Amino acid sequence: MTPKKKGHKSSKQVTIKDLARQLGTTPSTVSRALRDQSGVGEKMRERVKALARQQNYRPNAVAAGLRKGNSHTIGVIVPRVNRDFFSGVIAGIEEVAYESRYSVIICQTHDRLDKERQYVETLLSARVDGILVSLGLETDNYDHFEKVISSGIPLIFFDRVPDEMNVNRILVDDYQGSLQVVQQMIRAGYQRIAHFAGPDYLNVYRDRKQGYLAALQKNNIPVDEDLVISNDLTIEAGRRSMQELLAKGIMPDALFSASDYSALGALLFMQEQGYRIPQDFGVAGFSNEKFTSYIKPPLTTVDQHSKEMGKYCMNLFLQEVKGEGGAPGRIMLNPEVLIRESTLRKTDEK
Amino acid sequence: MTPKKKGHKSSKQVTIKDLARQLGTTPSTVSRALRDQSGVGEKMRERVKALARQQNYRPNAVAAGLRKGNSHTIGVIVPRVNRDFFSGVIAGIEEVAYESRYSVIICQTHDRLDKERQYVETLLSARVDGILVSLGLETDNYDHFEKVISSGIPLIFFDRVPDEMNVNRILVDDYQGSLQVVQQMIRAGYQRIAHFAGPDYLNVYRDRKQGYLAALQKNNIPVDEDLVISNDLTIEAGRRSMQELLAKGIMPDALFSASDYSALGALLFMQEQGYRIPQDFGVAGFSNEKFTSYIKPPLTTVDQHSKEMGKYCMNLFLQEVKGEGGAPGRIMLNPEVLIRESTLRKTDEK
DNA sequence: AAATTTTACACAAACGTTTGTGTTGTGCAA
DNA sequence: TTGCACAACACAAACGTTTGTGTAAAATTT
């Protein structure tokens, strides 16, 4: 009967002008008062704030952004948000952003180059104050990022970074992580270790492959080209690649995959084929996705300190924006190798 | 030697005014030309576009937003992005948003009420054109959303929606989903089914509990209060609650959890205690997180059509923004019950 | 050919801030 | 009492668009 609606439905937001008019003063004074700038008396300041509160005034960030030339917003471009690694980075970015009252626009490319390009345009049009990016799988051309640079706003890459560009980059030591995992696998007794690799033009996959190759070399294990397979690192790809290997009569005794997902695909396939993990076949992945610790057996993998990485990103941005950006920053974090049951062949029984 | 930099480092972005000046025309004509509005000749239009392209003109969305009073951006507030359910919804929202060229600001509350409040303020200040929300676990007060409503922009809730408010809402039939899962468990032969519930003031958890209770009732199984436990639905909580049950000497023969995560915690705990799933103990969850199909045994759960839900959300928003918003829309999707091994006690051997 | 409509453009105001520069008036020292 | 510094405020321009209106010339009709 008595409708609960209080606020008028289509009420225009109250502006600084409205406040000024009601107080018999000017917009400039109101603006200064609200932001505690000098040049306005104690009494007026109080009156302004009181009225603002009472009228439910909310500053128009768009207008302020236009005038000040910045939006206090940053853009983050990632392949997908539902990877624990990326959502971890995002969490880190957000934590720092939240403290400094920055808004974060998150864009998912789904590993598609066209979307990546489009989002860069959108973010530049939205006049974000900076862009944080991890490249998509398809990205083998960086023209769209040149535009960002020439626009003058900070650009920071993390994890999947472009090789050719001299830009800020934050990453984990993929080479070391891979090296150590494979070393452990060899120590556990595996002899013919296969590798699932990603595209060679992305630093992370190249480095992981190099780490794998280095481990073999250090242990005088010859590299078998047949055991190194490139795929798109999904569960399905992992399953399929494993199947194809066996179909070709190639039988490794372990797998180090550049991704936890393709590792999982292979693991599931091998289990279905009746192989026992880790006795008959060892499996290791990369990224420390959460599921790796739930499955049976838990998967050996490499943690990339995703949240830390996110914090570093945002802090680097804040530095840059303060004008402290000299040469492009380069930060490399140490990965943490997590040896779990999936590569623990009964080696301790020696 | 010859530095590659073309764009001047700190180059101010070229504006519509710059173009106008160079063409000997006015900003208004340039603006209309670029947007293919009527009132500008074919020849001039071409000249404008050519120059814009050549000078790398990029429209300033902030300025346009201020003038037009809309930002072509929407805000999405979710508890966390690294749940498959939420990232699925986000994917759906983005897909539709991308087509209609809307930007999406994603905000994670981490289930905290203070963050939820803060993000609402931020989004309103940023003058987003609409807000899509799924409530946090702590949210038992909706004052901050009243502000959104009185600001006049569309507000749409999904999945976790407020009871008291008469607003747009899109959800899945939690009651039906739960009812069917528990019915199946009973048919599979489980007699004493425990339930992990979330806070009663959130619709989804209340409905799931109701579905659970209804299933018992329909099968003339008395409700045992000891078997209904509220926790915060994390893995750890699931593990702990299960442990506490056993410690108290209460021994259910199955569990239906309102969340896949707490279901997983309980499942892992029971396996560690030597119980076989599903023979000795049945487990079912809710939400169809991806990991549920990887673990051993695969977990029975309920799919909520997350991506669909996201699309519905965004489409409902688009409708509202076109002014076609009559009474608040209410959409209920049918869930899909996924019976998997974790509740498949050898019932078919009858 | 005159009257009328239409086209192609220019002009100017507006969106809501922020900020540089005037303009008072007050208090203080000389 | 004059001069000066400074506080407290008003005034106005600017940020980059969009959009309503004005005004010629061109195209169309009669």
Side-chain angles (χ1 to χ4, degrees), chain B residues 15-157:
Chain B
T15 75
I16 228 168
K17 279 187 193 171
D18 299 328
L19 300 181
R21 191 164 9 82
Q22 293 175 60
L23 290 168
T25 183
T26 63
S28 51
T29 300
V30 174
S31 171
R32 287 187 242 256
L34 289 173
R35 287 173 305 138
D36 283 319
Q37 282 197 351
S38 68
V40 40
E42 188 56 35
K43 216 167 161 183
M44 176 64 91
R45 191 185 303 279
E46 283 311 317
R47 288 178 59 213
V48 169
K49 287 193 177 179
L51 186 65
R53 208 178 352 254
Q54 184 231 319
Q55 303 252 332
N56 232 298
Y57 168 76
R58 203 187 324 275
N60 184 327
V62 177
L66 175 60
R67 172 60 227 239
K68 296 201 290 190
N70 72 310
S71 58
H72 227 68
T73 298
I74 63 154
V76 178
I77 301 179
V78 291
R80 9 184 63 104
V81 298
N82 63 348
R83 300 290 206 227
D84 288 320
F85 169 68
F86 288 118
S87 66
V89 176
I90 290 172
I93 291 173
E94 276 197 322
E95 191 172 308
V96 180
Y98 188 83
E99 290 165 8
S100 4
R101 317 214 77 205
Y102 270 89
S103 296
V104 180
I105 297 185
I106 295 168
C107 308
Q108 290 193 71
T109 62
H110 295 277
D111 277 318
R112 282 174 43 189
L113 179 55
D114 58 334
K115 284 216 169 196
E116 195 173 281
R117 288 210 173 99
Q118 160 90 46
Y119 276 127
V120 166
E121 282 299 321
T122 302
L123 292 175
L124 287 178
S125 254
R127 295 300 191 267
V128 294
D129 295 353
I131 299 185
L132 278 40
V133 192
S134 195
L135 297 174
L137 272 185
E138 289 183 358
T139 307
D140 52 0
N141 174 295
Y142 313 121
D143 291 350
H144 44 312
F145 294 117
E146 295 289 357
K147 291 189 199 170
V148 178
I149 292 176
S150 71
S151 87
I153 65 172
L155 172 65
I156 296 168
F157 288 92

Side-chain angles (χ1 to χ4, degrees), chain B residues 80-267:
Chain B
R80 9 184 63 104
V81 298
N82 63 348
R83 300 290 206 227
D84 288 320
F85 169 68
F86 288 118
S87 66
V89 176
I90 290 172
I93 291 173
E94 276 197 322
E95 191 172 308
V96 180
Y98 188 83
E99 290 165 8
S100 4
R101 317 214 77 205
Y102 270 89
S103 296
V104 180
I105 297 185
I106 295 168
C107 308
Q108 290 193 71
T109 62
H110 295 277
D111 277 318
R112 282 174 43 189
L113 179 55
D114 58 334
K115 284 216 169 196
E116 195 173 281
R117 288 210 173 99
Q118 160 90 46
Y119 276 127
V120 166
E121 282 299 321
T122 302
L123 292 175
L124 287 178
S125 254
R127 295 300 191 267
V128 294
D129 295 353
I131 299 185
L132 278 40
V133 192
S134 195
L135 297 174
L137 272 185
E138 289 183 358
T139 307
D140 52 0
N141 174 295
Y142 313 121
D143 291 350
H144 44 312
F145 294 117
E146 295 289 357
K147 291 189 199 170
V148 178
I149 292 176
S150 71
S151 87
I153 65 172
L155 172 65
I156 296 168
F157 288 92
F158 60 91
D159 194 52
R160 298 186 189 170
V161 309
D163 304 307
E164 290 89 350
M165 293 176 77
N166 181 30
V167 285
N168 297 295
R169 53 183 64 191
I170 296 183
L171 25 75
V172 86
D173 196 335
D174 290 283
Y175 174 84
Q176 273 299 324
S178 300
L179 177 64
Q180 290 174 28
V181 168
V182 178
Q183 290 261 39
Q184 182 275 333
M185 294 174 83
I186 295 170
R187 276 198 302 274
Y190 298 105
Q191 306 280 344
R192 296 198 70 206
I193 305 175
H195 178 56
F196 288 172
D200 243 355
Y201 51 81
L202 279 180
N203 62 308
V204 292
Y205 301 115
R206 203 176 42 235
D207 290 352
R208 290 173 199 175
K209 191 201 280 186
Q210 291 305 320
Y212 158 80
L213 295 174
L216 297 188
Q217 196 171 16
K218 288 196 183 190
N219 291 273
N220 298 315
I221 300 178
V223 175
D224 182 344
E225 293 292 342
D226 286 341
L227 293 181
V228 179
I229 298 168
S230 280
N231 60 37
D232 67 4
L233 303 174
T234 58
I235 295 183
E236 296 71 27
R239 185 184 287 275
R240 204 175 331 110
S241 293
M242 203 64 226
Q243 189 169 16
E244 285 168 10
L245 268 184
L246 298 204
K248 281 196 241 169
I250 303 171
M251 183 57 210
D253 62 1
L255 165 71
F256 165 60
S257 169
S259 150
D260 282 334
Y261 286 93
S262 45
L264 174 63
L267 183 147

Side-chain angles (χ1 to χ4, degrees), chain A residues 16 28 31-32 35 57 60 67:
Chain A
I16 227 169
S28 51
S31 172
R32 286 187 244 258
R35 285 173 306 138
Y57 168 75
N60 185 326
R67 171 62 227 238

Side-chain angles (χ1 to χ4, degrees), chain A residues 117-154:
Chain A
R117 288 209 171 100
Q118 160 90 46
Y119 277 128
V120 166
E121 283 299 321
T122 303
L123 292 176
L124 287 177
S125 254
R127 295 301 193 267
V128 294
D129 296 353
I131 298 185
L132 279 41
V133 192
S134 195
L135 297 174
L137 273 182
E138 288 183 0
T139 308
D140 52 359
N141 175 293
Y142 312 124
D143 292 348
H144 44 312
F145 295 117
E146 296 288 356
K147 291 188 197 169
V148 178
I149 292 177
S150 72
S151 86
I153 65 172

Side-chain angles (χ1 to χ4, degrees), chain A residues 143-335:
Chain A
D143 292 348
H144 44 312
F145 295 117
E146 296 288 356
K147 291 188 197 169
V148 178
I149 292 177
S150 72
S151 86
I153 65 172
L155 173 65
I156 297 170
F157 288 92
F158 61 91
D159 193 53
R160 297 186 188 169
V161 309
D163 304 308
E164 289 91 349
M165 294 176 76
N166 181 31
V167 285
N168 298 294
R169 51 181 67 189
I170 295 183
L171 26 75
V172 86
D173 195 336
D174 290 282
Y175 175 85
Q176 273 299 324
S178 300
L179 178 63
Q180 290 174 29
V181 167
V182 180
Q183 289 262 37
Q184 183 275 331
M185 293 174 83
I186 295 171
R187 275 198 304 276
Y190 297 106
Q191 306 279 343
R192 297 198 72 205
I193 304 175
H195 178 56
F196 288 171
D200 243 355
Y201 52 79
L202 278 181
N203 62 308
V204 293
Y205 302 115
R206 203 175 42 234
D207 291 352
R208 289 173 198 176
K209 191 201 281 185
Q210 291 304 321
Y212 158 80
L213 295 174
L216 297 188
Q217 195 169 17
K218 287 195 184 190
N219 290 274
N220 298 315
I221 300 179
V223 175
D224 182 346
E225 293 292 343
D226 286 341
L227 294 180
V228 178
I229 297 166
S230 279
N231 60 36
D232 68 4
L233 303 173
T234 58
I235 295 183
E236 295 70 28
R239 184 185 288 276
R240 204 175 332 109
S241 292
M242 202 64 226
Q243 188 170 16
E244 284 168 10
L245 268 183
L246 298 204
K248 281 195 240 168
I250 303 170
M251 181 60 207
D253 62 1
L255 165 71
F256 165 60
S257 169
S259 149
D260 282 334
Y261 286 91
S262 45
L264 174 63
L267 183 145
L268 292 174
F269 176 77
M270 291 303 276
Q271 283 182 333
E272 284 162 18
Q273 299 299 308
Y275 294 92
R276 291 165 310 164
I277 316 287
Q279 297 91 326
D280 306 330
F281 193 76
V283 184
F286 208 105
S287 288
N288 193 21
E289 292 288 315
K290 287 228 190 78
F291 73 78
T292 57
S293 61
Y294 311 149
I295 62 175
K296 287 272 150 36
L299 190 69
T300 289
T301 187
V302 180
D303 186 82
Q304 301 178 88
H305 303 300
S306 54
K307 193 167 177 179
E308 287 297 306
M309 192 180 285
K311 289 187 186 180
Y312 273 109
C313 280
M314 192 63 199
N315 281 320
L316 181 53
F317 161 77
L318 289 174
Q319 263 183 40
E320 292 265 323
V321 105
K322 276 192 216 133
E324 297 168 9
R330 286 164 182 263
I331 298 176
M332 184 167 288
L333 305 179
N334 283 321

